[in-house]
Amino acid sequence: MSERADGPAGGTVPSGPLLRTMVRRDPDEAHRVATPLELLFDLCFVVAVAQAGGRLVHAVAAGHAGQGVVGYAMIFFAIWWAWMNFTWFASAYDTDDVPYRLTTLVQISGVLILAAGVPRAFDRTDYSIVVVGYVVMRLAMTAQWLRAARSERGDARTTALWYAVGVVLVQTGWVAFGFLPHSGAQVWIFVVLAVAELVVPVVAERHRPTSWHPHHIAERYGGFTLIVLGETVAAATGAVQSALDRGHSTELLPIAAGGLLIVFAAYWIYYVVPIHEHLHGSRRAFLWGYGRYLVFSTAAAIGAGLAVAIKQMIGQAHISATSAAASVTVPTAAFVFFTWLLHACHHKPSLGRQAVLPLTAVAILACTSAGPWAVLLTGFVAALSVAVSLFLRHRITRSSDAAAAA
């Protein structure tokens, strides 16, 4: 006996059959929300994000910013791509039955293996453990696609099979990459394999786009952004505690205040407009979904930058005050700009409102030259941009109301 999985995936033990037919869910399904299993999935992924951010702090503080940023970008790609593939698949095929849950738990195990390998990847350029965790996640994803292919017919079945075959082929390349000796070609091989991963959905979706749910996708991405910002707060809090233990309470105030303002402004900027209305059509969804790598990675890097700034202030980082400031201003400016480009610009009706966030990003970069006061100034600039946006929106609303009344 089978049951169509059109209803919302619940958070309790599945009622009815323990094994359901994995058919596409209705993309117009009402009240579609993230499930507890998806939230657990996100929280476990943030463990890997925290590991990557922590090693980035260590690398930058030691004066190896270039090497640290490259390693961070590579590790974060693995985290983001595995998370993103699960998220879009779940939006289309979440049956919430026993096999689905067990396969998802295998994926969670994979990201925890990946997280365990992050220190070795940064310190020794040994990606073997990271690759093992990544391949575990991706092969579990392949099992999900094969299960979907078994239940589907026609073009939908072809799409699922293309996904499964594509993922397996790319994993053979990752296995070889994981055991390559360290060399200058390692980064370029990574780039080739990452591009291959990005191409798989483009090829597979040509046959028939999967039936993802716009509201659900928007909520999932928003929730993960919120968790990453929370990790930024946690990283900064740990650095503040370390500084307090060494008696640097007074010097901490500008960085602590600026950091809070940055996080609060980042939250406001991201959540000020709904994005689900923009997610219609595969091309638009691809560009938006792929571009989120830049939003997620820069949001997490803000926390690493705050930790570096605190370490430099207490004399534990072998870098200049300007370099420490850049570790905060650069990811903050990038977060603001990419959030505008991929998210906010679709809801800005006037040129003035469109210009606020790009100009904010430029102003934040200019704060780098302020040295020890850069973080506080960055926080003020970010908060001011929110205030200006609210003022402009209020003025436009008043003008529209006055025109309607006339």
Side-chain angles (χ1 to χ4, degrees):
M1 181 177 181
S2 65
E3 175 180 303
R4 183 173 175 82
D6 285 335
T12 59
V13 175
S15 58
L18 297 180
L19 178 62
R20 295 171 172 161
T21 302
M22 184 174 272
V23 293
R24 283 166 286 132
R25 294 183 65 150
D26 181 3
D28 299 317
E29 178 183 325
H31 309 298
R32 182 73 189 276
V33 296
T35 67
L37 182 60
E38 288 175 318
L39 298 178
L40 175 63
F41 190 87
D42 291 357
L43 288 173
C44 292
F45 266 65
V46 171
V47 173
V49 172
Q51 287 283 353
R55 304 315 291 183
L56 177 61
V57 171
H58 179 76
V60 174
H64 306 298
Q67 179 182 342
V69 169
V70 170
Y72 175 79
M74 293 168 66
I75 296 295
F76 205 96
F77 176 86
I79 298 167
W80 162 77
W81 187 245
W83 178 89
M84 183 175 129
N85 277 251
F86 167 79
T87 296
W88 288 80
F89 178 88
S91 191
Y93 286 105
D94 183 359
T95 56
D96 198 39
D97 59 359
V98 170
Y100 178 86
R101 288 189 175 195
L102 291 177
T103 308
T104 302
L105 294 176
V106 171
Q107 291 176 271
I108 291 175
S109 301
V111 77
L112 296 178
I113 295 171
L114 184 152
V118 168
R120 178 179 296 190
F122 270 86
D123 298 342
R124 310 180 199 170
T125 324
D126 178 0
Y127 290 92
S128 57
I129 303 301
V130 168
V131 167
V132 168
Y134 182 74
V135 171
V136 167
M137 290 187 287
R138 301 300 283 141
L139 292 183
M141 192 75 257
T142 302
Q144 298 278 41
W145 281 116
L146 289 174
R147 189 178 170 209
R150 183 180 180 184
S151 302
E152 291 284 17
R153 297 291 182 270
D155 288 342
R157 183 173 186 271
T158 302
T159 295
L161 287 174
W162 270 101
Y163 265 112
V165 171
V167 171
V168 169
L169 288 176
V170 177
Q171 298 323 294
T172 60
W174 285 120
V175 170
F177 171 83
F179 295 96
L180 283 175
H182 174 58
S183 69
Q186 202 171 30
V187 173
W188 297 109
I189 295 172
F190 170 86
V191 171
V192 171
L193 290 171
V195 170
E197 288 277 20
L198 296 174
V199 168
V200 170
V202 177
V203 174
E205 297 273 341
R206 290 185 308 166
H207 299 86
R208 178 169 182 167
T210 49
S211 55
W212 43 270
H213 193 291
H215 283 268
H216 180 245
I217 288 294
E219 181 190 359
R220 295 288 290 114
Y221 273 75
F224 196 70
T225 302
L226 195 62
I227 291 175
V228 170
L229 288 175
E231 171 53 32
T232 292
V233 174
T237 301
V240 167
Q241 180 181 354
S242 176
L244 286 174
D245 290 343
R246 289 168 173 78
H248 295 275
S249 56
T250 304
E251 299 96 318
L252 284 176
L253 291 177
I255 297 178
L260 282 177
L261 287 173
I262 290 170
V263 172
F264 293 162
Y267 160 81
W268 201 297
I269 290 168
Y270 185 92
Y271 286 96
V272 72
V273 294
I275 194 59
H276 63 270
E277 298 171 0
H278 176 69
L279 297 180
H280 295 287
S282 296
R283 177 182 172 81
R284 185 174 290 180
F286 268 123
L287 292 174
W288 183 85
Y290 281 12
R292 308 305 290 181
Y293 168 80
L294 299 169
V295 175
F296 289 157
S297 59
T298 53
I302 292 171
L306 290 171
V308 169
I310 292 172
K311 282 181 173 293
Q312 195 278 333
M313 182 267 295
I314 63 178
Q316 290 188 331
H318 306 294
I319 55 176
S320 66
T322 301
S323 297
S327 69
V328 177
T329 59
V330 171
T332 303
F335 174 85
V336 169
F337 178 77
F338 290 124
T339 300
W340 167 78
L341 184 65
L342 298 166
H343 196 95
C345 72
H346 306 297
H347 297 269
K348 304 291 187 181
S350 66
L351 180 61
R353 292 181 66 188
Q354 285 284 7
V356 170
L357 291 182
L359 290 176
T360 298
V362 173
I364 287 173
L365 287 177
C367 293
T368 306
S369 59
W373 296 96
V375 176
L376 183 59
L377 286 177
T378 297
F380 280 136
V381 169
L384 180 62
S385 74
V386 172
V388 171
S389 294
L390 290 174
F391 172 76
L392 292 176
R393 186 171 68 176
H394 176 67
R395 191 173 68 175
I396 291 173
T397 302
R398 286 180 57 188
S399 299
S400 300
D401 291 344

